[in-house]
């Protein structure tokens, strides 16, 4: 089990992405890196920033960042811990999460709207990472 | 009367007489404006004997209290009459600038009665109304008409609503087109204009809508603008237009494919707002005071090269695209252009044509019927040809101009036509969002998505402060019926205000806007009852026009399951949804009409005896 939003979890996610044929196919034209940010609150003492660089169906780089200043990704998705958990548990569709303002997205909306299938496959990858959430 | 210009213009086209009528403040308070007011106003003026295309059918262009104010996304108007397409309540609304400009011209609405002896148009400039000869405009398309009138009436900034050849030829789903490519598309209001020899209405002026509480109104406006800008739905619409939803909801089976026979057809993504933005998009258009700007301006090359096209919108790319398995984005853009110029509703036109494709591929329609056209799935060219034929009532187009119900009836397959009460379904398959099945079956104007967008609620846009909650999109239940009724009441109020359904701030902000404009001092608890009153009013009017419980039915094909392992869909279970909805609405199971008790609760007791 990997603690959610730890360096080990992020590396396990990278491995899950790179071993997913479904993601490779769905995201074969995708070019864009992300910050996945867990907002401070509850057991999360301070904002946690995960960086994932996705390029043509593979994850080129993934790491935990000390803060937002390390990288300048094309997209930033921000949500609270309970919301991230619902997404990873497939209890909340990310699109629904954004529409209900539980998740905030910054970046090129045109690129994002064309990548729904890739996003679904990405969520599938997260479900394959054995995850322990903070209590 | 704050929030209103306070008067209607009455135009008797038979005599050419123009007069005015003061708005009844009590009636406005009860029905707000827009389509709600129109239903009450026209209730006393039409009945089952009114010929929708006869001089006796009154045609009302109406605005609401927020139109032409600084409130964002309220630049709309309603046009209402007995529908020639359905024989029932006809209601259609459109954005652009026509609604605000009508108010600036000095009126809240215009009622047309009678029939002009020769082609005519109405001009209202700064409170001065006149009927003008339109013989030279008859036969012109909607863009040519607007250009010609603009040139004739120089000096005042104008907005023009008009019809094209489809309206002149009484195509049952002829649209009213305004501000170049904005359309009041549904229920054939363009044909009603055509039946009256009314080619156009040009409006403009310097009037201002009086506000009850300008400071409070201004604060509500600013807060609403911020809320709309923060809303990701609005951000998607800005980036990709209404077709931005293609890429998302195709994975839910929302967009219908191959005339409602396939859950998923992946090439449809080529018609989405994202692809459009990266290929043919050249600009965006926004309606009056809109901060979203969902309107697309596109340019296409090739065989239909056109420098500037308004659209295509979501409904058009589906109706002329996925419905006939065509992924030709430029072709759908050209279809949009043709429909705009001829003045056709793209939903009904595209859906009727797609039904013809299906009948052709089943051998029910033959090349003899089509005049040699081969209606092969995937080929949009015959659809474009048929669109021209419909507009001019030529060949097979003369039958298609009557709509899919008439087409089905001619060939003995009326139950296969995808329509409710004669109005073709919009491009949201109810097997993706079962609440839409209930909306389509019970909407006052036939199958309509703007009388209750349950697809949006269950996609992730609930209105919790009105207890409109997010639900399972595939669950047919009493709860779904309750949520659907509330959404329909809410959107009915929108159609009275008149506010765009893409404007979704909190209900409290809508309340602040309404109170700030009118001074009515309403509470949040009064919002849904206001919507329900107008909704039940339309129901009563439909009862007067012959509607009963037997009309509340979905077409058979959308009650059949779709099979695709990649997409989860479920036909709406109307045996659960409809009885529950009837109980919530307090409708009689045979007449389909609200009880006297419910009418009294809603302040409609004066209509009980009817």
């Amino acid at each position: 089990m990997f603690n959610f939003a730890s360096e080990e979890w992020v590396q396990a996610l990278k491995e899950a992405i790179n071993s997913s044929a479904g993601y490779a196919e769905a995201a074969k034209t995708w070019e864009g890196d992300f910050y996945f940010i867990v907002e401070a609150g509850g057991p999360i003492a301070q904002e946690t920033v995960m960086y994932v660089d996705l390029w043509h169906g593979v994850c080129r780089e993934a790491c935990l960042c000390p803060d937002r200043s390390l990288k300048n990704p094309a997209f930033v998705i921000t949500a609270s811990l309970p919301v991230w958990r619902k997404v990873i548990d497939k209890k909340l569709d990310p699109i629904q999460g954004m529409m209900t303002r539980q998740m905030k997205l910054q970046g090129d909306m045109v690129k994002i709207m064309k990548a729904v299938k890739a996003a679904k496959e990405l969520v599938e990858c997260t479900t394959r990472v054995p995850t322990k959430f903070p209590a | 009367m704050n929030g209103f210009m306070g008067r209607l213009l009455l135009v008797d086209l038979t005599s050419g007489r123009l007069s005015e009528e003061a708005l009844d403040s009590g009636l406005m308070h009860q029905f707000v404006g827009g389509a709600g007011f129109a239903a009450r106003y026209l209730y006393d003026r039409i009945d089952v004997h009114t010929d929708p295309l006869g001089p006796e059918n009154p045609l009302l262009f109406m605005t609401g209290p927020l139109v032409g104010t600084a409130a964002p996304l309220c630049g709309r108007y309603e046009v209402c009459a007995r529908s020639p397409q359905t024989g029932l309540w006809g209601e259609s609304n459109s954005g652009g600038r026509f609604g605000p400009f009508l108010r600036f011209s000095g009126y809240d609405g215009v009622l047309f009665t009678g029939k002009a002896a020769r082609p005519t148009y109405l001009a209202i400039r700064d409170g001065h109304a006149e009927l003008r000869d339109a013989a030279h405009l008859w036969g012109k398309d909607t863009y040519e008409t607007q250009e010609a009138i603009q040139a004739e009436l120089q000096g005042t900034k104008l907005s023009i609503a008009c019809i094209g050849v489809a309206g002149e030829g009484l195509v049952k789903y002829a649209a009213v087109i305004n501000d170049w490519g904005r359309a009041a598309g549904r229920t054939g209001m363009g044909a009603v204009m055509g039946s009256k020899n009314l080619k156009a209405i040009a409006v403009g002026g310097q009037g201002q809508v009086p506000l009850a509480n300008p400071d409070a109104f201004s604060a509500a406006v600013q807060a609403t603008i911020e809320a709309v800008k923060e809303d990701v739905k609005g951000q998607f619409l800005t980036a990709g237009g209404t077709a931005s939803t293609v890429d998302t909801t195709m994975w839910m089976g929302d967009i219908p494919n191959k005339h409602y026979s396939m859950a998923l057809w992946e090439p449809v993504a080529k018609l989405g707002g994202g692809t459009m933005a990266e290929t043919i998009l050249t600009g965006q258009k926004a309606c009056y005071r809109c901060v979203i700007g969902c309107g697309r301006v596109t340019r296409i090359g090739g065989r239909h090269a056109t420098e500037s096209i308004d659209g295509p919108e979501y409904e058009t790319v589906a109706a002329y695209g996925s419905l006939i398995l065509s992924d030709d984005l430029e072709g759908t853009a050209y279809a949009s252009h043709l429909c705009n110029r001829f003045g056709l509703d793209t939903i009904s036109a595209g859906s009727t044509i797609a039904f013809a494709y299906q009948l052709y591929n089943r051998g029910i329609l033959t090349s003899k019927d089509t005049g040699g056209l081969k209606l092969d799935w995937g080929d949009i060219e015959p659809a474009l040809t048929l669109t021209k034929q419909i507009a001019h009532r030529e060949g097979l187009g003369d039958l298609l101009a009557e709509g899919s119900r008439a087409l089905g009836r001619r060939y003995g397959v009326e139950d296969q036509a995808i329509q409710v009460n004669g109005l073709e379904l919009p491009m949201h398959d109810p097997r993706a969002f079962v609440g839409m099945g209930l909306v389509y079956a019970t909407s006052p104007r036939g199958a309509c998505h703007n009388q209750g967008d349950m697809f949006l609620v269950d996609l992730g846009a609930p209105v919790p402060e009105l207890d409109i909650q997010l639900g399972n999109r595939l669950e047919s239940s009493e709860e779904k019926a309750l949520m659907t009724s509330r959404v329909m009441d809410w959107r009915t109020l929108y159609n009275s205000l008149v506010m765009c359904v893409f404007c979704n701030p909190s209900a409290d902000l809508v309340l602040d806007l309404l109170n700030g404009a009118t001074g009515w001092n309403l509470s949040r608890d009064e919002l849904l009852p206001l919507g329900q009153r107008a909704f039940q009013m339309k129901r009563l009017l439909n009862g007067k026009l012959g509607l009963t419980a037997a009309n509340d039915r979905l077409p058979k094909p959308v009650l059949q399951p779709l099979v695709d392992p990649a997409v989860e869909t479920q036909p709406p279970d109307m045996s659960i949804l409809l009885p529950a909805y009837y109980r919530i609405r307090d409708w009689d199971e045979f007449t389909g009409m609200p009880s006297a008790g419910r009418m009294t609760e809603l302040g409609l007791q004066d209509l009980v005896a009817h």
Side-chain angles (χ1 to χ4, degrees):
Chain A
M1 297 285 270
F2 301 97
N3 288 326
F4 177 65
S6 64
E7 179 64 32
E8 294 74 23
W9 188 88
V10 175
Q11 294 309 320
L13 175 62
K14 180 182 177 183
E15 208 173 302
I17 293 169
N18 287 338
S19 58
S20 167
Y23 178 78
E25 173 61 24
K28 62 187 176 192
T29 60
W30 176 263
E31 299 174 355
D33 51 352
F34 284 85
Y35 269 161
F36 295 135
I37 295 178
V38 188
E39 294 167 345
I44 305 295
Q46 65 177 52
E47 179 178 277
T48 305
V49 181
M50 294 173 276
Y51 175 76
V52 179
D53 180 15
L54 302 171
W55 187 266
H56 292 195
V58 298
C59 178
R60 299 194 300 192
E61 183 186 354
C63 64
L64 198 63
C65 300
D67 56 46
R68 296 190 190 211
S69 65
L70 193 67
K71 305 277 188 181
N72 184 27
F75 299 93
V76 179
I77 298 179
T78 311
S80 66
L81 176 67
V83 170
W84 281 115
R85 182 167 189 170
K86 278 195 278 185
V87 171
I88 291 166
D89 289 344
K90 293 180 76 173
K91 289 177 180 166
L92 177 66
D93 180 89
I95 296 293
Q96 202 171 63
M98 285 187 264
M99 288 187 65
T100 51
R101 306 185 194 197
Q102 296 176 73
M103 306 183 85
K104 297 187 191 84
L105 166 72
Q106 293 169 277
D108 183 340
M109 300 302 260
V110 169
K111 278 187 79 171
I112 281 284
M113 78 178 64
K114 288 183 66 186
V116 174
K117 193 173 185 183
K120 287 162 78 80
E121 292 294 339
L122 190 60
V123 171
E124 287 293 334
C125 293
T126 66
T127 65
R128 291 184 202 122
V129 177
T131 302
K132 183 181 175 189
F133 288 95
Chain B
M1 194 187 331
N2 286 316
F4 298 92
M5 307 308 285
R7 55 186 184 157
L8 292 179
L9 178 67
L10 310 181
V11 181
D12 180 344
L13 289 164
T14 304
S15 67
R17 182 169 177 271
L18 306 178
S19 58
E20 288 181 15
E21 178 180 306
L23 279 188
D24 179 332
S25 63
L27 216 53
M28 302 320 293
H29 210 127
Q30 255 197 314
F31 293 98
V32 180
F37 168 81
R40 180 64 191 89
Y41 192 80
L42 295 183
Y43 183 89
D44 297 330
R45 291 163 174 82
I46 55 177
D47 61 29
V48 73
H49 303 296
T50 304
D51 176 0
L53 296 176
E56 67 270 28
N57 192 18
L59 175 70
L60 179 60
F61 284 73
M62 192 64 200
T63 61
L66 299 183
V67 177
T69 69
L73 286 82
C74 294
R76 304 189 75 82
Y77 70 97
E78 296 276 352
V79 51
C80 305
R82 188 177 193 190
S83 164
Q85 190 175 6
T86 67
L88 299 171
W89 169 242
E91 168 186 338
S92 196
N93 83 39
S94 175
R97 282 162 174 70
F98 183 82
F101 275 45
L102 174 57
R103 302 255 272 178
F104 303 156
S105 81
Y107 295 95
D108 294 295
V110 184
L111 179 76
F112 293 96
T113 55
K115 176 180 180 178
R118 49 187 283 125
T120 297
Y121 77 92
L122 173 72
I124 317 175
R125 289 172 286 178
D126 273 319
H128 173 69
E130 59 176 327
L131 287 170
R132 297 175 66 102
D133 180 54
H136 61 300
L137 302 174
W138 210 251
K140 288 191 185 299
D141 73 32
T142 61
Y143 284 59
E144 293 166 340
T145 299
Q146 292 177 74
E147 284 164 10
I149 293 175
Q150 292 277 10
E152 274 176 33
L153 305 180
Q154 289 177 1
T156 303
K157 197 174 174 189
L158 296 170
S159 174
I160 296 159
C162 66
I163 57 170
V165 294
E168 294 172 13
L170 310 183
V171 175
K172 292 288 168 55
Y173 42 87
V176 179
I177 303 289
N178 60 279
D179 300 297
W180 310 116
R182 307 305 301 194
R186 309 238 69 195
T187 67
M189 295 298 100
V192 178
M193 278 183 73
S195 74
K196 295 182 176 306
N197 276 335
L198 177 63
K199 180 67 177 177
I201 306 153
V203 292
Q206 301 297 316
Q208 286 193 332
V209 181
L211 298 172
N213 189 337
D215 290 341
F217 185 77
S218 180
V221 166
Q222 288 310 313
T224 304
I225 289 171
E226 284 165 27
V228 173
K229 282 183 173 174
E230 281 177 12
D231 185 353
V232 75
K233 297 185 293 298
Q235 293 166 13
F236 273 123
L237 287 165
T238 300
T242 53
S244 60
T245 58
V246 168
D247 304 84
T248 310
T249 57
M250 62 183 273
W251 297 101
M252 300 172 181
D254 181 56
I255 187 165
N257 307 301
K258 202 180 182 186
H259 200 248
Y260 295 86
S261 63
M262 289 170 65
L264 177 65
W265 180 62
E266 292 203 43
V268 75
K270 295 178 187 169
L271 304 173
T275 304
M276 201 185 308
E278 292 173 349
T279 55
I280 61 174
L281 188 73
T282 58
Q284 289 174 239
K285 278 189 178 177
C287 299
Y288 182 81
R289 295 265 181 188
C290 174
V291 294
I292 291 176
C294 71
R296 305 290 94 174
V297 182
T298 55
R299 176 174 56 224
I300 59 172
R303 61 196 185 280
H304 300 300
T306 306
E307 191 56 31
S308 181
I309 291 173
D310 287 305
E313 307 302 323
Y314 169 81
E315 298 290 338
T316 312
V317 300
Y320 278 90
S322 62
L323 226 45
I324 57 169
L325 296 188
S326 167
D327 61 4
D328 181 346
L329 178 60
E330 292 203 344
T332 63
Y334 190 63
S336 173
H337 190 58
L338 290 178
C339 288
N340 286 341
R341 284 198 168 267
F342 293 142
L344 283 169
D345 173 28
T346 62
I347 298 174
S348 287
S351 188
T352 302
I353 289 169
F355 188 32
Y357 271 60
Q358 187 184 55
L359 297 185
Y360 179 84
N361 283 279
R362 287 170 58 188
I364 296 171
L365 268 180
T366 66
S367 291
K368 191 178 169 194
D369 299 307
T370 65
L373 285 175
K374 292 180 180 174
L375 309 186
D376 295 330
W377 295 116
D379 184 4
I380 195 173
E381 287 303 321
L384 299 175
T385 301
L386 286 173
T387 302
K388 295 172 189 169
Q389 290 184 1
I390 289 168
H392 293 97
R393 282 190 170 274
E394 295 168 352
L396 180 62
D398 192 37
L399 173 59
L400 302 189
E402 297 295 305
S404 62
R405 183 168 60 177
L407 173 62
R409 190 174 291 161
R410 173 72 63 87
Y411 290 94
V413 285
E414 185 178 336
D415 63 349
Q416 299 299 304
I418 309 296
Q419 51 80 32
V420 175
N421 294 322
L423 193 69
E424 287 73 18
L425 265 64
M427 302 298 121
H428 299 282
D429 195 314
R431 290 165 291 190
F433 295 92
V434 296
M436 289 311 297
L438 203 42
V439 173
Y440 293 154
T442 63
S443 148
R445 68 173 187 178
C448 168
H449 59 306
N450 285 328
Q451 307 284 329
D453 43 358
M454 273 302 286
F455 65 97
L456 204 57
V457 171
D458 282 346
L459 193 58
V463 192
E465 61 273 27
L466 296 179
D467 206 8
I468 297 171
Q469 305 293 352
L470 187 65
N472 179 337
R473 66 185 174 93
L474 301 178
E475 182 184 273
S476 294
S477 62
E478 183 107 16
E479 179 74 3
K480 185 68 68 189
L482 179 62
M483 292 304 128
T484 302
S485 71
R486 287 179 181 159
V487 171
M488 294 180 83
D489 290 345
W490 184 225
R491 292 313 193 193
T492 299
L493 178 59
Y494 266 57
N495 293 334
S496 299
L497 288 170
V498 182
M499 183 181 265
C500 175
V501 294
F502 297 151
C503 185
N504 290 292
S506 69
D508 287 342
L509 278 175
V510 175
L511 182 67
D512 290 345
L513 290 171
L514 183 55
N515 283 335
T518 62
W520 287 344
N521 200 26
L522 296 165
S523 69
R524 185 203 286 174
D525 293 343
E526 293 173 90
L527 290 175
L528 287 187
L530 264 182
Q532 191 188 165
R533 181 183 295 132
F535 182 86
Q536 298 278 25
M537 187 66 239
K538 294 172 191 175
R539 185 76 176 180
L540 289 167
L541 178 47
N542 272 334
K544 197 176 171 187
L545 297 176
L547 177 138
T548 69
N551 289 76
D552 297 333
R553 295 289 180 269
L554 286 178
K556 276 184 186 171
V558 299
L559 294 171
Q560 303 301 314
L562 290 165
V563 181
D564 190 309
V567 179
E568 200 182 356
T569 57
Q570 181 73 45
D573 187 338
M574 299 303 280
S575 71
I576 294 171
L577 291 167
L578 207 52
Y581 188 84
Y582 264 58
R583 284 193 293 277
I584 293 160
R585 290 295 190 200
D586 206 357
W587 285 350
D588 179 87
E589 63 179 309
F590 298 108
T591 67
M593 292 299 117
S595 70
R598 178 62 60 91
M599 288 167 66
T600 303
E601 267 175 45
L602 293 169
L604 301 172
Q605 58 273 16
D606 57 320
L607 301 175
V608 170
H610 293 244

